[in-house]
Amino acid sequence: MKNRYAVILAAGQGSRMKSSLYKVLHPVAGKAMVEHVVGQVEKLNVAEIVTIVGFGAEMVKEQLGDRSHYALQTEQLGTGHAVLAASEQLAGKEGTTLVICGDTPLLQADTLEELFAHHEKMNAKATILSAIAKDPTGYGRVIRNTEGHVEKIVEHKDANEQELAVTEFNTGTYCFDNKSLFEALNQVGNENAQGEYYLPDVIGILKAQGETVSAYIMDSEDDSMGVNDRVALAKANQLMFERINLNHMREGVSFVSPATTYIEADVTIGRDTTIEAGVQLKGQTVIGENCFLGANSEIIDSQIGNDVEVKSSTIESSVIKDFVDVGPYAHIRPNTTIENHAHIGNFVETKNTIVGEGTKVGHLTYVGDGILGKHINIGAGTIFANYDGKNKFKTTIGDYAFIGSNTTLIAPVTLGERSAIAAGSTINQDVPDYDLGIARGRQSNLKEYSKKMPYNQ
């Protein structure tokens, strides 16, 4: 197999996005468009990836890191001019070069592999990735002769009536013989209304030299879509979410309402998990097997074990282990670890906390900066007072402790194993093992006082 290279075009500003964010960094299913493209290209066994950057160059480099080499297009003078910026890295090398736009996040490695294979089979100097459009308005048409060979690409505005009837269009993705590509680019002129150097002009140059130019028709028009504005961005997100959900369903995940479930590209889900409507799974989230994710739950950058139930709750950057149930309406904030068989009830918030095996935090409770042992019972309305306005402090609770309802624990404080706290207490001193901590005013009953109250008059 010949050496393979890839040039990713990512230098345009994307003015139609009307955004301060550089176009190719707009996310599709939680990942920048250009990162989707690089991820698929990486599957093709290419020897070198060169990303052409211009506007927002440093942000693109920061996003992709060392996954790519970079070439700077100092002026945006067209797609041909952009590819020519990679001359220093690629010109003169033997092999095949893929040219792909950084705003085509739906293109898949399988399609690109088929494009390479077709290019090599046809022994072509250039191969266009094309598709059949339901409505080709605005697209450059791929014009073939009576034998089916590619003659030229005609832009919509330049096409005659017969050419406008053609539904095969140029997707803007190509394979080229690398040496021929850069030799032809040096012959491309800018005698056009925009004064730019267009990559499709290479096709005409190679044809004029008698070289073979081919086109490979991809299966899905939708996958070829370039994202140039917010309308296309919304469509790309919709299509990507549909694709992701279908893949999970084929791997044994059940969806109650796939159309309203949003799972980002890097999420992993185990089989026999059921996902209800409105669930959002984001970032590097991993969901285990046989889980239940209730309606409108949001899980971000978290690891969820097996046999976990999450009901209408939010989980961020945390670890939930096996046989845990969370919610409804719980908020698991970053750096929380919940051990096996623990219970986090309704309207509970945790942050920077370890909740031990079998521990129950039932409802209406805030647990911040806590280390909770095994099989503890936390009563309703318990507050971990962990912040003095400047610093955060730890609360540590030993195994099998019992915390009564409406308790305030003022950190730093340690409660021993099998200790107990009386309901309604405010605790600011350590409680040793097996001791009962109680800190509240003694009750007094004033005889028949309520008769004086206005509501009894």
Side-chain angles (χ1 to χ4, degrees):
M1 184 176 70
K2 295 180 180 178
N3 285 334
R4 292 178 174 181
Y5 311 99
V7 174
I8 299 174
L9 304 182
Q13 186 174 14
S15 58
R16 280 183 284 171
M17 296 295 285
K18 300 189 186 315
S19 174
S20 58
L21 181 64
Y22 185 46
K23 180 175 77 166
V24 297
L25 296 180
H26 278 266
V28 171
K31 185 185 288 188
M33 288 192 284
V34 70
E35 196 172 358
H36 280 288
V37 174
V38 170
Q40 296 303 310
V41 170
E42 286 173 330
K43 299 176 182 179
L44 302 174
N45 193 31
V46 294
E48 187 172 357
I49 299 171
V50 180
T51 300
I52 310 301
V53 294
F55 290 101
E58 293 307 314
M59 289 184 287
V60 175
K61 291 178 181 180
E62 183 178 351
Q63 185 74 36
L64 298 179
D66 60 4
R67 298 168 66 185
S68 173
H69 295 122
Y70 301 93
L72 181 64
Q73 186 186 18
T74 53
E75 296 180 90
Q76 276 58 60
L77 298 178
T79 51
H81 182 261
V83 176
L84 198 59
S87 295
E88 184 175 338
Q89 289 99 330
L90 298 179
K93 292 183 177 180
E94 299 283 349
T96 302
T97 295
L98 171 73
V99 178
I100 185 170
C101 295
D103 63 357
T104 54
L106 297 169
L107 280 173
Q108 299 182 73
D110 288 349
T111 298
L112 300 176
E113 186 64 57
E114 290 163 3
L115 173 64
F116 268 113
H118 179 86
H119 176 80
E120 291 166 1
K121 177 182 177 182
M122 298 300 294
N123 198 28
K125 293 296 182 182
T127 301
I128 305 154
L129 181 64
S130 65
I132 304 300
K134 299 182 183 69
D135 177 10
T137 302
Y139 290 119
R141 308 303 205 277
V142 176
I143 307 303
R144 298 175 183 262
N145 60 23
T146 54
E147 297 178 346
H149 299 306
V150 173
E151 284 292 311
K152 58 183 177 179
I153 298 172
V154 178
E155 296 305 317
H156 180 93
K157 64 182 184 297
D158 299 324
N160 59 36
E161 187 173 343
Q162 184 178 2
E163 290 165 341
L164 287 174
V166 173
T167 57
E168 184 181 0
F169 70 93
N170 173 24
T171 68
T173 298
Y174 309 85
C175 272
F176 293 99
D177 173 81
N178 186 68
K179 292 180 72 173
S180 299
L181 168 63
F182 285 96
E183 289 168 1
L185 282 171
N186 286 307
Q187 302 174 49
V188 171
N190 66 341
E191 295 79 24
N192 52 65
Q194 302 299 320
E196 294 185 349
Y197 301 86
Y198 294 131
L199 183 61
D201 289 354
V202 169
I203 302 299
I205 291 170
L206 293 174
K207 286 293 294 184
Q209 294 173 352
E211 303 290 1
T212 300
V213 175
S214 185
Y216 174 74
I217 302 174
M218 62 185 293
D219 292 335
S220 170
E221 174 192 356
D222 287 339
D223 284 4
S224 71
M225 184 176 67
V227 177
N228 292 310
D229 58 24
R230 303 294 181 128
V231 176
L233 182 65
K235 180 66 172 177
N237 269 286
Q238 177 190 353
L239 293 170
M240 185 68 81
F241 284 129
E242 288 176 1
R243 178 193 295 175
I244 290 168
N245 290 354
L246 281 171
N247 288 339
H248 285 301
M249 285 187 273
R250 292 186 178 116
E251 294 299 320
V253 179
S254 294
F255 288 76
V256 172
S257 178
T260 62
T261 303
Y262 306 101
I263 299 176
E264 292 185 349
D266 290 332
V267 172
T268 301
I269 308 174
R271 62 178 59 189
D272 293 319
T273 286
T274 297
I275 301 176
E276 289 193 329
V279 170
Q280 299 183 59
L281 305 179
K282 300 178 178 181
Q284 304 293 322
T285 290
V286 177
I287 308 293
E289 296 185 356
N290 200 39
C291 293
F292 174 83
L293 307 182
N296 302 314
S297 292
E298 182 180 28
I299 303 177
I300 306 163
D301 289 322
S302 296
Q303 286 72 53
I304 310 299
N306 300 322
D307 298 279
V308 172
E309 182 176 6
V310 179
K311 292 172 284 189
S312 304
S313 295
T314 298
I315 300 172
E316 305 173 80
S317 303
S318 292
V319 176
I320 312 296
K321 297 192 178 177
D322 299 343
F323 300 100
V324 171
D325 65 291
V326 177
Y329 312 118
H331 188 182
I332 309 301
R333 291 170 58 195
N335 199 29
T336 295
T337 298
I338 301 177
E339 299 288 349
N340 297 343
H341 296 280
H343 164 69
I344 305 295
N346 52 299
F347 299 103
V348 169
E349 180 179 350
T350 69
K351 180 207 58 104
N352 194 30
T353 286
I354 298 171
V355 178
E357 180 177 348
T359 288
K360 297 178 180 179
V361 186
H363 34 267
L364 302 165
T365 290
Y366 171 66
V367 182
D369 295 284
I371 301 174
L372 280 61
K374 298 183 294 185
H375 301 288
I376 296 166
N377 183 83
I378 305 290
T382 296
I383 301 298
F384 284 46
N386 60 323
Y387 183 47
D388 67 359
K390 182 178 180 180
N391 299 302
K392 300 289 181 72
F393 298 95
K394 285 283 187 184
T395 295
T396 302
I397 305 179
D399 298 344
Y400 296 94
F402 184 96
I403 312 301
S405 297
N406 198 32
T407 291
T408 299
L409 302 173
I410 301 177
V413 68
T414 298
L415 311 182
E417 292 187 9
R418 298 186 184 272
S419 62
I421 304 298
S425 294
T426 297
I427 301 296
N428 63 359
Q429 298 181 41
D430 293 350
V431 178
D433 296 352
Y434 292 92
D435 280 9
L436 169 66
I438 181 168
R440 61 192 184 205
R442 185 177 298 275
Q443 180 175 327
S444 297
N445 296 336
L446 301 181
K447 190 172 182 62
E448 296 186 351
Y449 188 86
S450 71
K451 289 181 179 179
K452 300 178 182 181
M453 303 305 291
Y455 54 79
N456 282 328
Q457 300 301 312

